[in-house]
Amino acid sequence: MNDQQIKEAFDLALELTKQCGPIVLEGFRNSTKDVASKGRHWDLVTEYDRRVEDVLIEGLKKRFPDHRMLGEESASEANKKEALDQRPTWIIDPIDGTINFVRGVKFIAISVALVVDRELKIGIIYNPCMDELYTAIAGQGTFLNGERVHVSGVDNFKGALIGHEISIASYPAARPHILGRGEELIKECTGLRAFGSAALTLAYISSGNVDAYCIEYLKPWDIAAGAILIREAGGVVMNVNGGEYDILKPDIIAASSEKLAQRMLEIVRQVEERVNPKQ
């Protein structure tokens, strides 16, 4: 896709995302909405997740029938595991922060990203409850409600506000790592915050409200849009082991500066050595 085609794709995705705002708000205010579990008691889905995803995917497919769609609620297991290739691929989370959505907590977001030739080209994160619309096109910067934003640039943990999603400790294998990291982080940073939405936390890094975040055990649609927002705002996104960020296996460290990212990586490794000591 050339630059003009990317811009056309962005304009359509933005229009569709905005169309979904009233659907999300309707569901947010509906205290009797249908809620189901996708297997684990904390992994929820509602009728509104499906409605939003339908609007996005149907609208995008109508204009781009040859594009691949990777949505949280509609992608098959086989499609979720299929490697990225040269096909343009839309990565969609209709409502990130579904537990917040169900319980009436306003930290929720629609998240849409486009990957072309295995590279992120578009990112949109929209929280209609707070009227916050984050957007990015590769090479053009990050915007919040049309105004250019940047990461904070904080490079010292003593001045850093860190996103730390304690609920990931619901996974038994993750528990000692998540709790251990929290213990180490709070010794150094200004404070820890758990918003219950990875997409929004990443968006907040892009606009300088949060400074760093380490997150694992999530899916591509939780991270993709936020990753390009941060990079276009001047921040860092890398693999939790210090390598390149993998769009389809998004175990990441995100930060406002390289120095902050490297300190986060040191803490991750420190806790890993304590949990799984070398023989």
Side-chain angles (χ1 to χ4, degrees):
M1 297 178 73
N2 60 35
D3 290 347
Q4 180 59 36
Q5 291 169 327
I6 294 291
K7 179 61 166 60
E8 291 173 2
F10 171 81
D11 289 342
L12 175 59
L14 184 61
E15 178 186 345
L16 292 169
T17 301
K18 289 179 177 178
Q19 287 178 17
C20 292
I23 300 174
V24 172
L25 290 174
E26 175 192 326
F28 186 80
R29 296 164 181 154
N30 180 2
S31 61
T32 61
K33 51 184 167 283
D34 292 333
V35 181
S37 169
K38 292 189 283 187
R40 299 179 178 92
H41 66 279
W42 40 262
D43 191 6
L44 304 180
V45 63
T46 74
E47 61 196 283
Y48 294 95
D49 294 77
R50 298 186 181 97
R51 284 175 60 186
V52 169
E53 188 163 299
D54 286 347
V55 169
L56 292 169
I57 289 180
E58 288 173 12
L60 291 168
K61 275 187 173 180
K62 184 176 180 180
R63 175 64 179 82
F64 303 110
D66 58 331
H67 287 196
R68 177 186 175 193
M69 302 290 162
L70 190 56
E72 179 176 13
E73 309 307 335
S74 61
S76 67
E77 287 304 314
N79 192 29
K80 290 175 184 178
K81 295 175 182 177
E82 188 179 348
L84 293 172
D85 53 30
Q86 293 183 336
R87 288 175 298 170
T89 299
W90 294 93
I91 302 178
I92 296 167
D93 192 341
I95 301 178
D96 187 53
T98 302
I99 293 177
N100 289 345
F101 178 70
V102 169
R103 299 302 296 265
V105 178
K106 292 183 178 181
F107 293 112
I108 59 178
I110 302 166
S111 180
V112 180
L114 176 64
V115 179
V116 180
D117 291 330
R118 303 177 183 86
E119 293 186 3
L120 286 163
K121 296 296 184 181
I122 291 171
I124 299 170
I125 292 178
Y126 181 36
N127 180 352
C129 293
M130 297 184 180
D131 193 28
E132 295 173 336
L133 178 60
Y134 292 82
T135 59
I137 299 175
Q140 298 184 29
T142 298
F143 296 81
L144 169 56
N145 294 339
E147 297 290 330
R148 186 79 179 264
V149 293
H150 303 274
V151 297
S152 68
V154 168
D155 62 6
N156 189 313
F157 254 64
K158 288 184 179 179
L161 184 63
I162 308 297
H164 186 63
E165 206 60 61
I166 193 71
S167 61
I168 299 297
S170 297
Y171 292 98
R175 194 164 300 145
H177 300 273
I178 301 301
L179 299 180
R181 290 173 194 170
E183 182 180 0
E184 295 303 318
L185 289 168
I186 200 61
K187 292 177 183 178
E188 298 186 36
C189 70
T190 296
L192 300 178
R193 295 292 183 271
F195 295 104
S197 166
L200 272 187
T201 305
L202 297 172
Y204 292 158
I205 292 176
S206 77
S207 55
N209 303 105
V210 175
D211 302 302
Y213 189 43
C214 178
I215 191 74
E216 297 175 89
Y217 295 90
L218 298 184
K219 301 297 183 182
W221 42 81
D222 297 305
I223 304 299
I228 186 171
L229 290 179
I230 290 172
R231 286 178 167 174
E232 287 296 313
V236 176
V237 181
M238 64 185 187
N239 180 271
V240 74
N241 295 317
E244 286 293 317
Y245 157 56
D246 183 336
I247 294 171
L248 292 186
K249 194 178 186 304
D251 296 333
I252 65 160
I253 291 170
S256 63
S257 66
E258 182 67 31
K259 186 176 179 181
L260 210 59
Q262 290 299 323
R263 179 60 188 134
M264 180 74 85
L265 178 59
E266 290 173 1
I267 290 173
V268 168
R269 289 173 172 170
Q270 176 185 337
V271 173
E272 172 65 26
E273 290 173 4
R274 190 166 69 215
V275 173
N276 297 309
K278 295 178 181 179
Q279 300 299 320

